[in-house]
Amino acid sequence: MKFADRLKTLLGIATPDSEAFYEELADLLVEGDLGASLAFAVTEELRASCRRNRITGAQGIKAELKSLLSAYCLAGTIAPEPGRLNVFLLLGVNGVGKTTSCAK
C-alpha cells in the first residue's frame, strides 16, 4: 500500500485518545522519511493539540496534522536556465504524487 493511502486509512479510523493511533502515525511518518525526531515531535504536538482543542473526528485530526506539518514545508521555485541543459531531481516516498506533479 502506498504511503498516502496508508495515511488516509489511518486517519479514517482515527481515535485521538488511542495510544496505538499516535504510535502508528509516528511510525508511518518515519517510514515516509520525515525523520524520527521530527515525526515524534509532530505526533506529540498533534496529541496535545487534539486534547487542548477537543478535536475528535478524522477530518479535524487531518486538518490539524496538515497545519502542523505545513510549518515545516519550504516553498521553492524551479527556473530552468535558457540555452543550457537543466536537470532537476525530484525526491519523495512512493505514492505522494511525484509523477503527477511533474506532468503538470
Short mmCIF file of all heavy atoms in Angstrom, two decimals, residues 12-50:
data_model
loop_
_atom_site.label_atom_id
_atom_site.label_comp_id
_atom_site.label_asym_id
_atom_site.label_seq_id
_atom_site.Cartn_x
_atom_site.Cartn_y
_atom_site.Cartn_z
N GLY A 12 -8.65 7.70 8.69
CA GLY A 12 -10.05 7.29 8.59
C GLY A 12 -10.54 6.53 9.81
O GLY A 12 -11.73 6.52 10.10
N ILE A 13 -9.62 5.91 10.53
CA ILE A 13 -10.01 5.17 11.73
C ILE A 13 -9.45 5.86 12.97
O ILE A 13 -9.26 5.24 14.01
CB ILE A 13 -9.51 3.70 11.67
CG1 ILE A 13 -7.99 3.64 11.51
CG2 ILE A 13 -10.22 2.93 10.59
CD1 ILE A 13 -7.42 2.26 11.69
N ALA A 14 -9.19 7.14 12.84
CA ALA A 14 -8.53 7.90 13.91
C ALA A 14 -9.34 7.92 15.19
O ALA A 14 -10.53 8.17 15.20
CB ALA A 14 -8.30 9.33 13.43
N THR A 15 -8.66 7.62 16.26
CA THR A 15 -9.19 7.74 17.61
C THR A 15 -8.13 8.50 18.40
O THR A 15 -7.15 7.90 18.85
CB THR A 15 -9.45 6.37 18.25
OG1 THR A 15 -10.25 5.61 17.37
CG2 THR A 15 -10.15 6.52 19.59
N PRO A 16 -8.28 9.81 18.54
CA PRO A 16 -7.21 10.61 19.12
C PRO A 16 -6.87 10.28 20.57
O PRO A 16 -5.83 10.68 21.06
CB PRO A 16 -7.71 12.05 18.99
CG PRO A 16 -9.16 11.93 18.82
CD PRO A 16 -9.42 10.62 18.17
N ASP A 17 -7.71 9.54 21.27
CA ASP A 17 -7.40 9.15 22.64
C ASP A 17 -6.61 7.85 22.67
O ASP A 17 -6.17 7.43 23.73
CB ASP A 17 -8.70 8.96 23.44
CG ASP A 17 -9.43 10.27 23.62
OD1 ASP A 17 -8.78 11.32 23.54
OD2 ASP A 17 -10.65 10.24 23.84
N SER A 18 -6.41 7.24 21.54
CA SER A 18 -5.75 5.94 21.46
C SER A 18 -4.24 6.09 21.32
O SER A 18 -3.76 6.75 20.39
CB SER A 18 -6.31 5.17 20.26
OG SER A 18 -5.50 4.08 19.95
N GLU A 19 -3.51 5.47 22.23
CA GLU A 19 -2.05 5.47 22.16
C GLU A 19 -1.59 4.77 20.88
O GLU A 19 -0.61 5.18 20.24
CB GLU A 19 -1.47 4.77 23.38
CG GLU A 19 0.03 4.78 23.45
CD GLU A 19 0.63 6.18 23.60
OE1 GLU A 19 -0.02 7.05 24.20
OE2 GLU A 19 1.74 6.40 23.09
N ALA A 20 -2.31 3.73 20.47
CA ALA A 20 -1.96 2.98 19.26
C ALA A 20 -2.02 3.87 18.02
O ALA A 20 -1.20 3.72 17.11
CB ALA A 20 -2.89 1.78 19.11
N PHE A 21 -2.99 4.78 17.97
CA PHE A 21 -3.11 5.69 16.83
C PHE A 21 -1.85 6.53 16.69
O PHE A 21 -1.28 6.65 15.61
CB PHE A 21 -4.34 6.59 16.96
CG PHE A 21 -4.34 7.74 15.99
CD1 PHE A 21 -4.64 7.53 14.66
CD2 PHE A 21 -4.02 9.02 16.41
CE1 PHE A 21 -4.62 8.58 13.75
CE2 PHE A 21 -4.00 10.07 15.52
CZ PHE A 21 -4.30 9.85 14.18
N TYR A 22 -1.41 7.13 17.79
CA TYR A 22 -0.24 8.01 17.73
C TYR A 22 1.04 7.23 17.45
O TYR A 22 1.93 7.73 16.76
CB TYR A 22 -0.13 8.83 19.02
CG TYR A 22 -1.24 9.85 19.12
CD1 TYR A 22 -2.29 9.67 20.00
CD2 TYR A 22 -1.25 10.98 18.31
CE1 TYR A 22 -3.32 10.59 20.08
CE2 TYR A 22 -2.28 11.90 18.37
CZ TYR A 22 -3.31 11.71 19.26
OH TYR A 22 -4.33 12.62 19.32
N GLU A 23 1.14 6.03 17.97
CA GLU A 23 2.31 5.20 17.67
C GLU A 23 2.35 4.84 16.20
O GLU A 23 3.41 4.90 15.56
CB GLU A 23 2.29 3.93 18.53
CG GLU A 23 2.60 4.17 19.99
CD GLU A 23 2.49 2.91 20.83
OE1 GLU A 23 2.35 1.81 20.27
OE2 GLU A 23 2.54 3.05 22.07
N GLU A 24 1.20 4.46 15.66
CA GLU A 24 1.12 4.11 14.23
C GLU A 24 1.42 5.33 13.36
O GLU A 24 2.12 5.23 12.35
CB GLU A 24 -0.26 3.55 13.91
CG GLU A 24 -0.45 3.14 12.46
CD GLU A 24 0.36 1.92 12.06
OE1 GLU A 24 0.70 1.11 12.94
OE2 GLU A 24 0.64 1.78 10.85
N LEU A 25 0.91 6.49 13.75
CA LEU A 25 1.17 7.71 13.00
C LEU A 25 2.65 8.05 13.01
O LEU A 25 3.23 8.37 11.97
CB LEU A 25 0.35 8.88 13.57
CG LEU A 25 0.58 10.23 12.89
CD1 LEU A 25 0.19 10.18 11.42
CD2 LEU A 25 -0.20 11.32 13.62
N ALA A 26 3.29 7.98 14.17
CA ALA A 26 4.72 8.26 14.26
C ALA A 26 5.51 7.30 13.39
O ALA A 26 6.42 7.72 12.65
CB ALA A 26 5.19 8.18 15.71
N ASP A 27 5.18 6.02 13.45
CA ASP A 27 5.86 5.03 12.61
C ASP A 27 5.68 5.33 11.13
O ASP A 27 6.63 5.24 10.34
CB ASP A 27 5.34 3.62 12.91
CG ASP A 27 5.77 3.10 14.27
OD1 ASP A 27 6.68 3.71 14.89
OD2 ASP A 27 5.18 2.11 14.73
N LEU A 28 4.48 5.70 10.76
CA LEU A 28 4.18 5.99 9.37
C LEU A 28 4.95 7.22 8.89
O LEU A 28 5.50 7.24 7.78
CB LEU A 28 2.68 6.20 9.18
CG LEU A 28 2.16 6.36 7.77
CD1 LEU A 28 2.56 5.18 6.89
CD2 LEU A 28 0.65 6.50 7.78
N LEU A 29 5.03 8.25 9.73
CA LEU A 29 5.78 9.45 9.35
C LEU A 29 7.27 9.16 9.23
O LEU A 29 7.94 9.69 8.34
CB LEU A 29 5.53 10.57 10.37
CG LEU A 29 4.11 11.12 10.40
CD1 LEU A 29 3.95 12.12 11.54
CD2 LEU A 29 3.71 11.74 9.08
N VAL A 30 7.80 8.30 10.09
CA VAL A 30 9.21 7.90 9.99
C VAL A 30 9.43 7.13 8.69
O VAL A 30 10.39 7.40 7.95
CB VAL A 30 9.65 7.05 11.20
CG1 VAL A 30 11.02 6.43 10.97
CG2 VAL A 30 9.67 7.90 12.47
N GLU A 31 8.54 6.21 8.38
CA GLU A 31 8.65 5.46 7.12
C GLU A 31 8.53 6.37 5.92
O GLU A 31 9.06 6.07 4.85
CB GLU A 31 7.56 4.38 7.06
CG GLU A 31 7.78 3.24 8.00
CD GLU A 31 6.61 2.25 7.99
OE1 GLU A 31 5.90 2.17 6.96
OE2 GLU A 31 6.43 1.57 9.01
N GLY A 32 7.83 7.48 6.07
CA GLY A 32 7.67 8.45 4.99
C GLY A 32 8.83 9.42 4.90
O GLY A 32 8.73 10.46 4.25
N ASP A 33 9.94 9.10 5.58
CA ASP A 33 11.18 9.89 5.53
C ASP A 33 11.07 11.26 6.17
O ASP A 33 11.78 12.19 5.80
CB ASP A 33 11.70 10.03 4.09
CG ASP A 33 12.22 8.72 3.54
OD1 ASP A 33 12.64 7.87 4.34
OD2 ASP A 33 12.21 8.55 2.31
N LEU A 34 10.19 11.39 7.16
CA LEU A 34 10.10 12.66 7.87
C LEU A 34 11.25 12.81 8.86
O LEU A 34 11.63 13.90 9.21
CB LEU A 34 8.76 12.76 8.61
CG LEU A 34 8.38 14.11 9.16
CD1 LEU A 34 8.27 15.14 8.05
CD2 LEU A 34 7.09 14.05 9.93
N GLY A 35 11.80 11.69 9.28
CA GLY A 35 12.86 11.71 10.29
C GLY A 35 12.26 11.39 11.64
O GLY A 35 11.17 11.88 11.97
N ALA A 36 12.96 10.57 12.40
CA ALA A 36 12.40 10.08 13.66
C ALA A 36 12.11 11.19 14.65
O ALA A 36 11.02 11.26 15.21
CB ALA A 36 13.34 9.05 14.28
N SER A 37 13.06 12.08 14.88
CA SER A 37 12.84 13.11 15.89
C SER A 37 11.70 14.05 15.51
O SER A 37 10.87 14.40 16.34
CB SER A 37 14.12 13.90 16.17
OG SER A 37 14.56 14.56 15.01
N LEU A 38 11.63 14.43 14.23
CA LEU A 38 10.54 15.30 13.79
C LEU A 38 9.21 14.57 13.81
O LEU A 38 8.19 15.13 14.22
CB LEU A 38 10.83 15.85 12.40
CG LEU A 38 9.80 16.83 11.84
CD1 LEU A 38 9.61 18.02 12.77
CD2 LEU A 38 10.20 17.30 10.46
N ALA A 39 9.20 13.31 13.41
CA ALA A 39 7.96 12.52 13.41
C ALA A 39 7.38 12.42 14.81
O ALA A 39 6.19 12.62 15.02
CB ALA A 39 8.21 11.13 12.84
N PHE A 40 8.24 12.13 15.79
CA PHE A 40 7.76 12.01 17.16
C PHE A 40 7.34 13.37 17.73
O PHE A 40 6.36 13.47 18.46
CB PHE A 40 8.80 11.33 18.04
CG PHE A 40 8.97 9.88 17.70
CD1 PHE A 40 10.16 9.41 17.18
CD2 PHE A 40 7.93 8.97 17.88
CE1 PHE A 40 10.31 8.07 16.84
CE2 PHE A 40 8.07 7.63 17.54
CZ PHE A 40 9.27 7.18 17.02
N ALA A 41 8.06 14.43 17.37
CA ALA A 41 7.70 15.77 17.83
C ALA A 41 6.34 16.20 17.27
O ALA A 41 5.49 16.72 17.99
CB ALA A 41 8.78 16.78 17.43
N VAL A 42 6.13 15.96 15.98
CA VAL A 42 4.85 16.32 15.35
C VAL A 42 3.72 15.50 15.95
O VAL A 42 2.63 16.02 16.22
CB VAL A 42 4.92 16.13 13.82
CG1 VAL A 42 3.55 16.18 13.18
CG2 VAL A 42 5.82 17.19 13.21
N THR A 43 3.98 14.23 16.20
CA THR A 43 2.95 13.36 16.79
C THR A 43 2.56 13.84 18.18
O THR A 43 1.37 13.90 18.51
CB THR A 43 3.46 11.90 16.84
OG1 THR A 43 3.79 11.49 15.52
CG2 THR A 43 2.40 10.97 17.39
N GLU A 44 3.54 14.20 18.97
CA GLU A 44 3.24 14.71 20.33
C GLU A 44 2.51 16.04 20.26
O GLU A 44 1.61 16.31 21.05
CB GLU A 44 4.52 14.83 21.15
CG GLU A 44 5.07 13.49 21.60
CD GLU A 44 4.05 12.67 22.37
OE1 GLU A 44 3.39 13.20 23.29
OE2 GLU A 44 3.90 11.48 22.03
N GLU A 45 2.92 16.88 19.32
CA GLU A 45 2.26 18.17 19.13
C GLU A 45 0.80 17.96 18.71
O GLU A 45 -0.10 18.67 19.18
CB GLU A 45 3.02 18.96 18.06
CG GLU A 45 2.97 20.44 18.23
CD GLU A 45 3.87 21.16 17.23
OE1 GLU A 45 4.89 20.59 16.78
OE2 GLU A 45 3.54 22.30 16.89
N LEU A 46 0.57 17.00 17.84
CA LEU A 46 -0.78 16.68 17.40
C LEU A 46 -1.62 16.18 18.56
O LEU A 46 -2.77 16.60 18.75
CB LEU A 46 -0.76 15.65 16.27
CG LEU A 46 -2.11 15.20 15.74
CD1 LEU A 46 -2.84 16.36 15.07
CD2 LEU A 46 -1.95 14.04 14.78
N ARG A 47 -1.06 15.29 19.35
CA ARG A 47 -1.78 14.74 20.51
C ARG A 47 -2.20 15.88 21.46
O ARG A 47 -3.35 15.96 21.87
CB ARG A 47 -0.90 13.74 21.25
CG ARG A 47 -1.57 13.14 22.46
CD ARG A 47 -0.62 12.42 23.41
NE ARG A 47 0.47 11.70 22.79
CZ ARG A 47 0.51 10.38 22.65
NH1 ARG A 47 -0.47 9.62 23.08
NH2 ARG A 47 1.55 9.80 22.09
N ALA A 48 -1.26 16.76 21.77
CA ALA A 48 -1.54 17.88 22.68
C ALA A 48 -2.59 18.82 22.10
O ALA A 48 -3.51 19.26 22.80
CB ALA A 48 -0.26 18.64 22.99
N SER A 49 -2.48 19.10 20.81
CA SER A 49 -3.43 20.00 20.16
C SER A 49 -4.83 19.40 20.11
O SER A 49 -5.82 20.10 20.32
CB SER A 49 -2.94 20.31 18.75
OG SER A 49 -3.80 21.21 18.12
N CYS A 50 -4.92 18.10 19.83
CA CYS A 50 -6.23 17.43 19.79
C CYS A 50 -6.89 17.46 21.17
O CYS A 50 -8.10 17.68 21.28
CB CYS A 50 -6.10 16.00 19.28
SG CYS A 50 -5.80 15.90 17.51
#
